[in-house]
Amino acid sequence: MRIKTKLNLGVGLLFLMIIILSLVSAYSVFLIKADTENILKENYNTLEYSRNMILSLDGIKTTPDNNISVFKEFLKKQMQNVTEPGEKEATANLEKSFALLENNSADENLKAQIRQNIFSIMKLNLDAIKQKSDIAKKTAETANFSIAIVGTLCFLIAFNLLVNLPNNIANPIKELTQSIKEIANKNYSERVHFTNHNEYADLANSFNTMAQKLQEYNNSNLYKLFFEKKRLETLINNMHDPIIGLDNEGIILFANDEALKIIGLKLEDVIAKSASALALSNDLIHSLMLKDDADAPKKKPLKIYANGKESYFEKEILNITIIPTGEEKEINIGDVIILRNITLFKELDFAKTNFIATVSHELKTPIASIKLSLQLLENTKTGDMNEDQKQLVESIKDDSQRLLKITGELLNLSQLETGNIQLNIEKSNPYDIVNYAVEAVKVQADQKQIKLIIDTDENLQDVKADSEKTGWVLINYLSNAIRYSSEKSTIIIQLKNENNQIVFQVIDTGKGIDTRYQDKVFDKYFQVPGSQKSGTGLGLAISKEFIEAQNGSVGVESNLGLGSTFWFSLKI
């Protein structure tokens, strides 16, 4: 039987019994009321009439006319209220005796006869009251019994519902709850079995169907893919670097907590939204969406106010491509933007730069003092020196010159890194820059008997450059070429126009640079393994910074054993 039917039958039967109990109680009360009203109406009124007639009879002696009239009135009412057997005859005798009394109101014998008749009427009604009271008592006892029977049946039905109904409802729910917990613990083989054909059986069938489908889903590749997706999302969200994923149409697919912190948006405001649309109102997203120019000289870190301070991030955009199954051509499926937090390294770099700048600046004063002392020693007025002393002075002079060059490079580097260097960009003659650099290294080249050849195109236009800094770069190129070239070799300084740019090239015939190191020679402090460690490894790094600050570019082409070509280009 279905639960709804059980509830309807149980509650309906209880409701019916309550109605029966109410009807029985009401009927019993009605019967008792009827008996009571019968006593009041038929017997109590007669006793009241009789009492008033006796009082009137006693007052006839003093006021005969008035009391006779009152007696006659109550006698008339009594004649209309004759209800008991024998009461009619007694009332008739009373009437006759009263008729005689009206003619002789002083006759005491008639009065006594009248009293006797009244007492007879009262006795008949008193006996009737006792009899009717017994009937009313029996009616009440019958009513109590009937109410008790019906009430007991109601109690039994209610008690049966109280005991059985909660268990019939709660036990299947408890079993179903336990099964749901098993399903939640990934025990998809769990099943519920109810033998009754009721709502719980239907629920059990639906639950078993769901568990079967979950088991099939759990065993399918779709579940594994979903699980891997959740694991990947968790992994990305726990990374300390901000990461944003886009599809091939620029819709944001995911963004971890770190990314949401720095862009200042909530997850629901970002996911499934167009990055281009968000970039209109969010400057940071706009800067993240900008593609890095492949020809740009250098990617500068992004300075973002995050975590209560200025933080520095390196942006990297990874283009994601796949080769669909059965195809050979790659297709683009989106991009991943990664912001690497380099704040700690930037702070360390600032500290290093400040330290280098301070030390270099402090070293220049004693070095200048040393050079001045050497000049005084070389002056004949201070005295003559022997050959050994002259060699020592020359050695000190070379070392002090080298130290002065190193401190100058370090100062230039610190100024570049802190952004304090000032460039005087103006129209500069490329021929003048080349001639200035060649003159600066001519003595150095003559010491190794190296021939410097200038090969330039004719009628070259001026370049946008700081001629002093550009000349310093070319001098650095030439100094390196002289240092690593053999004696009596040739170095070519080439100047030409390519793609609306003036290209400066220094071509030597030295030992060349291995291809493994060519992309590192412009890094700070890098020196090619096996080369003489006479420098700081900063000259080429500073050269690169100078040229890129003027919107130019630098590069090297080299073959091991065949020499190298260092070049830089500036816009016309």
Side-chain angles (χ1 to χ4, degrees):
M1 185 182 295
R2 302 183 74 82
I3 298 296
K4 183 178 179 180
T5 305
K6 287 182 179 180
L7 286 173
N8 288 337
L9 288 177
V11 175
L13 182 59
L14 180 62
F15 182 70
L16 178 62
M17 294 305 299
I18 292 173
I19 292 176
I20 293 174
L21 177 62
S22 301
L23 292 175
V24 170
S25 301
Y27 182 68
S28 300
V29 171
F30 174 76
L31 291 178
I32 295 172
K33 179 183 177 183
D35 290 342
T36 304
E37 288 179 349
N38 190 27
I39 292 172
L40 290 174
K41 180 179 179 182
E42 297 178 356
N43 303 112
Y44 177 78
N45 289 340
T46 298
L47 291 176
E48 185 67 20
Y49 300 155
S50 298
R51 185 181 69 82
N52 288 324
M53 284 188 290
I54 290 173
L55 292 175
S56 300
L57 184 63
D58 292 338
I60 289 177
K61 184 182 290 188
T62 56
T63 54
D65 295 335
N66 186 39
N67 283 296
I68 288 174
S69 185
V70 171
F71 189 98
K72 186 184 292 184
E73 180 184 352
F74 283 107
L75 178 60
K76 184 178 179 181
K77 290 181 178 180
Q78 169 57 30
M79 291 173 64
Q80 296 175 354
N81 195 37
V82 175
T83 57
E84 304 301 328
E87 187 177 359
K88 184 176 181 182
E89 291 79 4
T91 303
N93 292 332
L94 178 61
E95 185 180 10
K96 291 177 182 179
S97 298
F98 179 71
L100 295 174
L101 184 64
E102 283 183 316
N103 297 324
N104 188 8
S105 61
D107 192 348
E108 293 296 328
N109 292 325
L110 287 174
K111 291 180 180 180
Q113 181 64 39
I114 290 172
R115 282 190 179 91
Q116 187 64 37
N117 292 331
I118 292 174
F119 288 151
S120 297
I121 293 172
M122 292 178 69
K123 186 177 183 306
L124 287 173
N125 281 276
L126 287 172
D127 292 339
I129 288 174
K130 184 178 182 305
Q131 184 181 1
K132 290 179 180 180
S133 296
D134 292 338
I135 293 172
K137 183 178 180 182
K138 186 176 181 180
T139 301
E141 291 175 352
T142 302
N144 289 335
F145 180 76
S146 301
I147 292 171
I149 293 296
V150 177
T152 302
L153 290 175
C154 289
F155 172 77
L156 292 175
I157 294 172
F159 183 77
N160 183 60
L161 289 175
L162 180 65
V163 171
N164 296 321
L165 187 60
N167 290 332
N168 287 336
I169 295 176
N171 290 340
I173 292 177
K174 187 183 296 183
E175 183 178 349
L176 185 62
T177 302
Q178 187 61 35
S179 299
I180 290 174
K181 289 181 178 178
E182 291 294 326
I183 291 292
N185 292 329
K186 299 183 179 180
N187 182 16
Y188 300 120
S189 60
E190 178 70 16
R191 297 293 184 271
V192 181
H193 303 286
F194 294 143
T195 56
N196 296 329
H197 298 288
N198 53 24
E199 289 86 349
Y200 288 118
D202 297 338
L203 181 60
N205 291 332
S206 300
F207 178 85
N208 292 336
T209 302
M210 179 194 71
Q212 182 179 0
K213 291 184 178 296
L214 284 174
Q215 188 174 16
E216 293 174 356
Y217 172 72
N218 184 58
N219 296 331
S220 68
N221 289 329
L222 183 61
Y223 169 78
K224 295 177 182 178
L225 289 173
F226 180 76
F227 181 79
E228 292 300 326
K229 178 177 178 290
K230 294 296 292 183
R231 178 158 59 183
L232 183 60
E233 288 176 350
T234 304
L235 177 64
I236 291 174
N237 206 42
N238 287 321
M239 293 183 69
H240 298 295
D241 291 330
I243 299 176
I244 300 174
L246 310 170
D247 66 7
N248 58 339
E249 295 181 354
I251 304 299
I252 298 178
L253 300 176
F254 61 84
N256 64 357
D257 291 341
E258 294 296 325
L260 295 175
K261 285 180 184 178
I262 66 170
I263 63 178
L265 295 175
K266 296 180 179 179
L267 186 64
E268 57 269 21
D269 298 330
V270 173
I271 300 301
K273 302 294 175 59
S274 171
S276 300
L278 291 176
L280 297 176
S281 58
N282 191 298
D283 293 337
L284 181 55
I285 294 181
H286 177 72
S287 63
L288 294 179
M289 292 300 298
L290 292 176
K291 296 284 187 179
D292 293 325
D293 187 0
D295 297 329
K298 183 181 180 180
K299 294 187 294 184
K300 293 185 178 180
L302 290 173
K303 185 166 69 172
I304 301 171
Y305 189 81
N307 301 322
K309 64 176 183 178
E310 286 186 346
S311 301
Y312 293 86
F313 296 88
E314 278 188 352
K315 181 180 71 171
E316 183 177 3
I317 300 180
L318 301 178
N319 182 247
I320 309 301
T321 59
I322 63 169
I323 300 177
T325 304
E327 298 184 15
E328 297 180 356
K329 186 177 180 181
E330 287 186 347
I331 61 172
N332 176 34
I333 62 171
D335 298 303
V336 175
I337 301 175
I338 302 175
L339 295 177
R340 306 190 190 280
N341 195 334
I342 58 169
T343 304
L344 177 61
F345 305 105
K346 200 70 176 176
E347 291 173 349
L348 293 174
D349 192 50
F350 284 154
K352 178 265 300 178
T353 300
N354 291 332
F355 174 76
I356 290 175
T358 302
V359 172
S360 301
H361 185 270
E362 294 299 325
L363 284 176
K364 289 190 75 174
T365 300
I367 293 172
S369 178
I370 292 171
K371 291 189 68 177
L372 179 60
S373 299
L374 289 173
Q375 290 177 1
L376 292 174
L377 284 174
E378 289 178 333
N379 193 334
T380 56
K381 293 180 180 181
T382 59
D384 294 331
M385 294 184 296
N386 57 35
E387 291 300 321
D388 292 337
Q389 290 174 332
K390 288 181 180 180
Q391 288 180 0
L392 289 173
V393 168
E394 286 296 326
S395 177
I396 295 172
K397 184 190 290 187
D398 291 341
D399 289 339
S400 62
Q401 186 64 33
R402 189 164 64 87
L403 280 174
L404 191 61
K405 179 184 177 184
I406 291 172
T407 54
E409 288 179 346
L410 290 174
L411 279 174
N412 284 335
L413 179 65
S414 63
Q415 289 175 347
L416 283 170
E417 290 180 341
T418 56
N420 294 328
I421 195 164
Q422 299 294 326
L423 293 176
N424 183 22
I425 306 295
E426 59 184 2
K427 289 183 179 182
S428 301
N429 190 311
Y431 301 110
D432 292 343
I433 294 173
V434 170
N435 292 330
Y436 167 76
V438 170
E439 286 296 324
V441 299
K442 189 172 183 181
V443 175
Q444 185 181 352
D446 290 341
Q447 289 175 351
K448 295 182 69 174
Q449 299 180 12
I450 293 176
K451 187 176 182 181
L452 300 177
I453 299 176
I454 300 175
D455 180 16
T456 63
D457 292 347
E458 295 180 356
N459 301 322
L460 292 177
Q461 296 180 350
D462 292 342
V463 292
K464 292 180 181 180
D466 183 322
S467 57
E468 181 182 350
K469 300 296 188 296
T470 305
W472 187 95
V473 173
L474 192 56
I475 290 171
N476 187 67
Y477 278 9
L478 289 170
S479 297
N480 289 338
I482 293 170
R483 183 182 302 120
Y484 295 108
S485 295
S486 58
E487 293 185 357
K488 298 181 180 180
S489 59
T490 301
I491 295 176
I492 300 174
I493 302 95
Q494 198 170 71
L495 199 59
K496 57 184 178 179
N497 185 338
E498 285 185 1
N499 300 323
N500 205 34
Q501 290 184 332
I502 303 300
V503 180
F504 297 76
Q505 290 182 328
V506 174
I507 306 169
D508 64 52
T509 55
K511 62 181 182 180
I513 303 173
D514 195 318
T515 54
R516 293 177 296 173
Y517 310 121
Q518 290 182 17
D519 58 344
K520 298 180 180 179
V521 294
F522 288 98
D523 293 344
K524 297 171 188 174
Y525 310 110
F526 178 80
Q527 291 182 333
V528 177
S531 63
Q532 50 183 325
K533 310 289 194 225
S534 59
T536 61
L538 291 174
L540 291 177
I542 295 173
S543 299
K544 181 182 179 183
E545 294 283 351
F546 279 156
I547 297 302
E548 289 182 349
Q550 301 174 74
N551 296 320
S553 57
V554 299
V556 61
E557 298 171 2
S558 181
N559 291 311
L560 200 59
L562 299 178
S564 304
T565 300
F566 281 84
W567 59 268
F568 65 86
S569 62
L570 293 171
K571 292 183 180 179
I572 294 176

